[in-house]
Each structure stands twice: as C-alpha cells, then as structure tokens.
Amino acid sequence: MKKPEDAPSAFQAAWNAHDMAALGSLFDENATFVNRFGHYVRGIDAIVALHAPIHETIYSDSTLENELIDVSHMAEGVAVIHFWSRLTAGAAHPAGPHEVDTLILAVLTRQNETWRIRALENVTLTNPRSGEPVLRG
C-alpha cells in the first residue's frame, strides 16, 4: 500500500481472492486484529490463522465491498482510517446467503515507502436494543 487510503481496497482484494498470503502482507509483523466477534490476535501468523479456516469453509464463496470513510494523519508515518465493509456470505455459510455490514478502524504505519496495518478492529453494525444486524442504507 503506497498510502493509507489504499488499505480498504487492498483488504477487499485479498479477501475476495481468498488469498491469505496477500491478506497477511497488509499487516505489520506485530499487528493486532480484533474480528467482529471480539476475537483478538497478534502477529501476521495469528491473523492468517484466524482467517484461513473460514476462507476454506463458511466464507469460501464470500465477498467484501469496502468504502473508505476517512483518513486522519496522526504523526509522520502514522494514520488512522475508518471504512465501511459489507460482507456478502454465499451458500457455503450455514445461515445461507446474507449480508453483514461492519465498521473497521485501522491504524497504519509507514515502513520505508509502504504502509502496513498495525492494528485493526472490526465492529458489526447492530441495533443496540435488539442486537439484530443492521445494514446501512
């Protein structure tokens, strides 16, 4: 990634190709990842290990569509981004085809001329009263 704004499309491309090596390459060696269920892992190997089994099974036919919301440059070589992410699960998912919207916050750092994700947290959009998933307009 040449700039922080590249992160949503790079993450989307790796996910949609179900390419875990490409997904892992987006992250800093000591990156942290919190998935939409609150599962926390640290390091590229753990991030890939979290995603590989679901890409072989329930999300093998899934796609993501990401949309950048904003970029905030915090210091030289450090940025925080937010982006929407719509997961479209296919027939491989036990619940069948459906969509889930999440909001992703990521901290990126620049290493030489490449930006990498240092921390990422993914939050499912839900109705706070019912807990039901919400799709944004």
Side-chain angles (χ1 to χ4, degrees):
M1 298 179 287
K2 296 298 181 193
K3 56 190 185 296
E5 295 86 345
D6 294 338
S9 61
F11 192 91
Q12 175 181 308
W15 183 284
N16 291 346
H18 306 285
D19 183 340
M20 296 303 98
L23 185 74
S25 75
L26 302 176
F27 291 87
D28 176 87
E29 181 179 314
N30 293 308
T32 59
F33 190 102
V34 180
N35 74 6
R36 66 188 185 100
F37 302 106
H39 188 149
Y40 168 92
V41 295
R42 176 181 290 277
I44 293 171
D45 290 344
I47 293 167
V48 169
L50 178 66
H51 288 88
I54 60 176
H55 279 270
E56 293 169 359
T57 57
I58 65 171
Y59 290 146
S60 62
D61 58 353
S62 69
T63 58
L64 280 185
E65 185 177 336
N66 294 336
E67 177 186 342
L68 182 68
I69 299 170
D70 62 26
V71 177
S72 298
H73 290 272
M74 308 305 288
E76 182 65 30
V78 179
V80 173
I81 67 168
H82 292 90
F83 60 96
W84 298 116
S85 186
R86 175 163 288 169
L87 169 69
T88 301
H93 196 283
H98 64 281
E99 294 179 329
V100 176
D101 280 347
T102 63
L103 176 62
I104 295 177
L105 177 149
V107 177
L108 290 92
T109 57
R110 187 176 60 226
Q111 301 166 11
N112 300 315
E113 296 303 312
T114 302
W115 287 84
R116 290 215 164 37
I117 300 168
R118 178 61 189 229
L120 184 148
E121 185 165 351
N122 194 7
V123 178
T124 304
L125 302 182
T126 59
N127 179 323
R129 291 187 177 93
S130 67
E132 293 295 316
V134 174
L135 291 178
R136 57 189 179 81

Coordinates of all heavy atoms in Angstrom, one line a residue, residues 9 13 17-18 21-22 28-29 35-36 41 65 73 76 103-104 113 117 122:
S9 N -9.2 -1.0 -0.2 CA -9.3 -1.8 -1.5 C -8.3 -3.0 -1.4 O -8.6 -4.0 -2.0 CB -9.0 -0.9 -2.7 OG -7.7 -0.3 -2.6
A13 N -9.4 -6.8 -1.9 CA -8.9 -7.6 -3.0 C -8.3 -8.9 -2.4 O -8.6 -10.0 -3.0 CB -7.8 -6.9 -3.7
A17 N -10.1 -12.6 -3.2 CA -9.3 -13.7 -3.8 C -9.1 -14.9 -2.9 O -8.5 -15.9 -3.3 CB -7.9 -13.1 -4.2
H18 N -9.5 -14.7 -1.6 CA -9.3 -15.7 -0.6 C -7.8 -16.1 -0.5 O -7.5 -17.3 -0.3 CB -10.2 -16.9 -0.8 CG -11.6 -16.5 -1.0 ND1 -12.4 -16.2 0.1 CD2 -12.4 -16.4 -2.1 CE1 -13.6 -15.9 -0.3 NE2 -13.7 -16.0 -1.6
A21 N -2.0 -15.2 2.0 CA -0.7 -14.6 1.9 C -0.8 -13.1 1.6 O -0.1 -12.3 2.2 CB 0.2 -15.3 0.9
A22 N -1.7 -12.8 0.7 CA -1.9 -11.4 0.4 C -2.5 -10.6 1.5 O -2.1 -9.5 1.9 CB -2.8 -11.2 -0.9
D28 N 1.6 -5.3 9.6 CA 2.9 -5.2 10.3 C 3.2 -6.5 11.0 O 2.2 -7.1 11.5 CB 2.8 -4.0 11.2 CG 4.1 -3.8 12.1 OD1 5.0 -3.2 11.6 OD2 4.1 -4.4 13.2
E29 N 4.4 -6.8 11.1 CA 4.8 -8.1 11.8 C 4.1 -8.3 13.2 O 3.8 -9.4 13.6 CB 6.3 -8.1 11.9 CG 6.9 -9.4 12.6 CD 8.4 -9.3 12.6 OE1 9.0 -9.0 11.6 OE2 8.9 -9.6 13.7
N35 N -11.6 -9.3 15.4 CA -12.6 -9.5 14.4 C -14.0 -9.0 15.0 O -14.1 -8.5 16.1 CB -12.6 -11.0 14.0 CG -13.2 -12.0 15.0 OD1 -13.7 -11.6 16.1 ND2 -13.1 -13.2 14.7
R36 N -15.0 -9.2 14.2 CA -16.3 -8.7 14.5 C -17.0 -9.3 15.7 O -18.0 -8.9 16.2 CB -17.2 -8.6 13.3 CG -17.6 -10.0 12.8 CD -18.4 -9.8 11.5 NE -18.9 -11.0 10.9 CZ -20.2 -11.4 11.1 NH1 -21.0 -10.7 11.7 NH2 -20.6 -12.6 10.6
V41 N -6.2 -11.2 18.2 CA -4.9 -11.9 17.9 C -3.8 -10.9 17.6 O -4.1 -9.8 17.3 CB -5.1 -12.9 16.7 CG1 -6.0 -14.0 17.1 CG2 -5.5 -12.2 15.4
E65 N -17.1 -5.7 0.1 CA -17.1 -4.4 -0.6 C -16.8 -3.4 0.5 O -17.6 -3.2 1.4 CB -18.4 -4.2 -1.2 CG -18.5 -3.0 -2.1 CD -19.8 -2.8 -2.8 OE1 -20.5 -3.8 -3.0 OE2 -20.1 -1.6 -3.1
H73 N -4.2 11.7 9.7 CA -2.7 11.5 9.8 C -2.4 12.0 11.2 O -2.6 13.2 11.6 CB -2.0 12.3 8.8 CG -2.1 11.7 7.4 ND1 -1.3 10.7 7.0 CD2 -3.0 11.8 6.4 CE1 -1.7 10.3 5.8 NE2 -2.7 11.0 5.4
E76 N 4.0 11.8 11.6 CA 4.7 11.4 10.4 C 4.7 9.9 10.4 O 5.2 9.2 11.3 CB 6.1 12.0 10.5 CG 7.0 11.6 9.2 CD 6.4 12.2 8.0 OE1 5.8 13.3 8.0 OE2 6.6 11.6 6.9
L103 N -18.0 -1.7 10.6 CA -17.2 -0.5 10.5 C -15.8 -0.9 11.0 O -15.7 -1.6 12.1 CB -17.8 0.5 11.4 CG -17.0 1.8 11.6 CD1 -16.9 2.5 10.3 CD2 -17.7 2.7 12.6
I104 N -14.8 -0.6 10.2 CA -13.5 -1.0 10.5 C -12.6 0.2 10.9 O -12.7 1.2 10.1 CB -12.8 -1.8 9.4 CG1 -13.6 -3.1 9.2 CG2 -11.3 -2.0 9.6 CD1 -13.1 -4.0 8.0
E113 N 8.6 3.1 2.1 CA 7.6 3.7 1.3 C 6.3 2.9 1.3 O 5.4 3.2 0.5 CB 8.1 3.8 -0.2 CG 9.3 4.8 -0.3 CD 9.0 6.2 0.2 OE1 7.9 6.7 -0.1 OE2 9.8 6.7 1.0
I117 N -0.8 -2.2 8.1 CA -1.8 -2.1 9.2 C -1.1 -2.6 10.5 O -0.6 -3.7 10.5 CB -3.0 -3.0 8.9 CG1 -3.7 -2.5 7.6 CG2 -4.0 -3.0 10.1 CD1 -4.7 -3.5 7.1
N122 N -12.8 -4.5 13.9 CA -14.0 -4.7 13.1 C -15.2 -4.8 14.0 O -15.3 -5.7 14.8 CB -13.8 -6.0 12.2 CG -14.7 -6.1 11.1 OD1 -15.4 -5.2 10.8 ND2 -14.6 -7.2 10.4

